[in-house]
Amino acid sequence: MSHILVYIAATDGKVKRSSLEVLSHCRKLASENGLKLTAAVLDADPSRYTETLSKYGPDTIFTVKHPVFGNHLNTPVIEALSNIISDSAPRLVAFASTESAKEVMGALSARHQAGALPDVASFTLNGDVVEAERPVMSAKVLSLTSSNSPLVMVSVRSGSYDATEQPGTAAVQEVAFDFDTAGLKNVLKEVLSSAGDKVDLSEAEVVVAAGRGIKDADGVKLVEDLADALGAAIGASRAVTESGLFPATLQIGQTGKVVSPQLYFAVGISGAIQHVAGMANSKVIVAINKDPDAPIFQYATYGLVGDLFKILPLLTEQIRSVKAG
Ligand SMILES: Cc1cc2nc3c(=O)[nH]c(=O)nc-3n(C[C@H](O)[C@H](O)[C@H](O)COP(=O)(O)OP(=O)(O)OC[C@H]3O[C@@H](n4cnc5c(N)ncnc54)[C@H](O)[C@@H]3O)c2cc1C
């Protein structure tokens, strides 16, 4: 029986939430189409991920163990996945849409003559056809694309699906991988992370994002206090990263990061389409803005119209006192 293969992105002993979202959706597609569900995890010690993965219902977990996976490089990932694809002939290969997936999926699609549907917001498999919706033009419109290629690869934007557990008894299959690191044309020397990245923005459950309305260092402090009280990651609009109040690594939007937290605070952000492109998948959006006509309110679940310099201290104090019981 053919299968749907999900590539699992995982680092530092933790599986990325976006991969679990893809795995959960593929479990549904596999069962609807009478296919098996498989997951591939590549790591210096992949066994540390199998317990978590088995909670999401794959029939088989392919583990590829090699020291080269200690620091992420696309070349060995492409080689190992290519071997699994050649040996097991999946119907569909699915990735969480990450920077790495762009190159890995592109290379694998070319090598295996697969149809490629990158960066989709939703997708279905009905018999011979994979159909996907993909946000284009800064997410102003959705394009509907499809492929009836015998092998299709798809990468999925984070937050498109819920990660839902369905524990099963996954078989773990170790895949031998012979890789000569001497042939590598690039090496990863160091991973630099900004001092502001206390919580990984792309994976965060709660994000407090700052816009131009925060104005200065006093506004920065209020945003940091709120994020601290919530245990949230900090994000920012481009207006703020360009002003230097927060580093460019925290920019959310078309030319920044795409986030999909359970809770998103937009603080002094107008809601330009380029910003919304990076946060529209957030589950609950709270907008704080003094302009009642700010476009961000069109996307907000809850809107607070008022001066953020008055609202934020009260909000932070309330959250701290609720948390303190
Ligand atoms: C090609 C391109 C790519 C881009 N990519 C991105 C991107 O990736 N991410 C991104 O964010 N932008 C991006 N932009 C820029 C985008 O168009 C906007 O200019 C930017 O998002 C505006 O940021 P802002 O909402 O913080 O600022 P503004 O639009 O200036 O809004 C500030 C808001 O703060 C409110 N405010 C002011 N003072 C207070 C107060 N005291 N209390 C409460 N509210 C207050 C105002 O009412 C206003 O709504 C891009 C633009 C282009 C052309």
Side-chain angles (χ1 to χ4, degrees):
M1 188 190 285
S2 189
H3 63 111
I4 298 177
L5 171 67
V6 179
Y7 168 66
I8 302 297
T11 41
D12 299 332
K14 195 166 181 293
V15 177
K16 281 199 179 276
R17 178 168 54 93
S18 43
S19 286
L20 296 176
E21 291 167 1
V22 179
L23 191 59
S24 300
H25 180 59
C26 287
R27 188 179 66 223
K28 181 170 162 281
L29 295 186
S31 113
E32 286 170 358
N33 287 273
L35 299 170
K36 295 275 187 200
L37 176 65
T38 60
V41 60
L42 288 43
D43 196 74
D45 177 17
S47 64
R48 58 189 172 150
Y49 301 111
T50 52
E51 193 184 330
T52 302
L53 292 177
S54 63
K55 290 185 190 149
Y56 290 82
D59 297 292
T60 304
I61 302 168
F62 295 116
T63 58
V64 188
K65 184 175 179 174
H66 197 288
V68 74
F69 299 124
N71 276 326
H72 183 92
L73 282 173
N74 288 336
T75 308
V77 172
I78 292 165
E79 292 306 322
L81 285 179
S82 185
N83 292 349
I84 293 173
I85 291 166
S86 298
D87 292 345
S88 67
R91 169 71 188 87
L92 182 82
V93 184
F95 302 79
S97 193
T98 61
E99 276 308 308
S100 156
K102 287 178 190 160
E103 187 180 335
V104 171
M105 189 173 110
L108 288 171
S109 307
R111 195 179 286 190
H112 293 271
Q113 312 268 291
L117 302 173
D119 208 24
V120 307
S122 69
F123 72 107
T124 56
L125 169 63
N126 288 314
D128 291 340
V129 184
V130 179
E131 274 196 348
E133 281 187 330
R134 182 171 183 239
V136 290
M137 299 169 74
S138 307
K140 264 191 218 150
V141 288
L142 288 173
S143 73
L144 185 62
T145 49
S146 69
S147 171
N148 58 2
S149 168
L151 172 61
V152 177
M153 300 197 184
V154 59
S155 66
V156 188
R157 290 163 74 99
S158 73
S160 299
Y161 296 102
D162 288 330
T164 49
E165 292 189 10
Q166 186 181 302
T169 44
V172 177
Q173 190 175 323
E174 286 178 28
V175 178
F177 184 53
D178 189 14
F179 186 80
D180 182 7
T181 49
L184 278 171
K185 294 196 171 56
N186 52 0
V187 288
L188 182 69
K189 283 186 153 178
E190 193 183 356
V191 177
L192 302 171
S193 64
S194 152
D197 291 348
K198 284 181 192 149
V199 183
D200 180 4
L201 187 53
S202 323
E203 291 281 303
E205 295 284 333
V206 185
V207 170
V208 177
R212 201 190 319 255
I214 67 159
K215 288 189 183 69
D216 53 24
D218 290 344
V220 169
K221 174 84 172 63
L222 293 180
V223 166
E224 286 175 344
D225 286 349
L226 177 60
D228 188 50
L230 288 162
I234 293 178
S237 71
R238 185 157 107 177
V240 169
T241 57
E242 281 182 345
S243 74
L245 287 173
F246 281 111
T249 50
L250 300 190
Q251 185 180 314
I252 291 169
Q254 183 189 334
T255 42
K257 286 186 174 145
V258 176
V259 299
S260 56
Q262 295 295 318
L263 180 58
Y264 187 90
F265 284 85
V267 181
I269 290 178
S270 61
I273 191 72
Q274 296 89 355
H275 182 79
V276 171
M279 47 66 77
N281 265 357
S282 306
K283 293 281 182 300
V284 173
I285 297 170
V286 180
I288 302 169
N289 199 302
K290 68 178 182 185
D291 175 6
D293 296 323
I296 192 71
F297 288 124
Q298 293 166 22
Y299 307 93
T301 324
Y302 301 101
L304 296 173
V305 180
D307 184 352
L308 69 91
F309 287 88
K310 292 187 180 141
I311 294 172
L312 253 53
L314 295 172
L315 198 57
T316 303
E317 192 188 309
Q318 279 299 313
I319 288 163
R320 285 205 173 119
S321 78
V322 168
K323 282 201 163 179

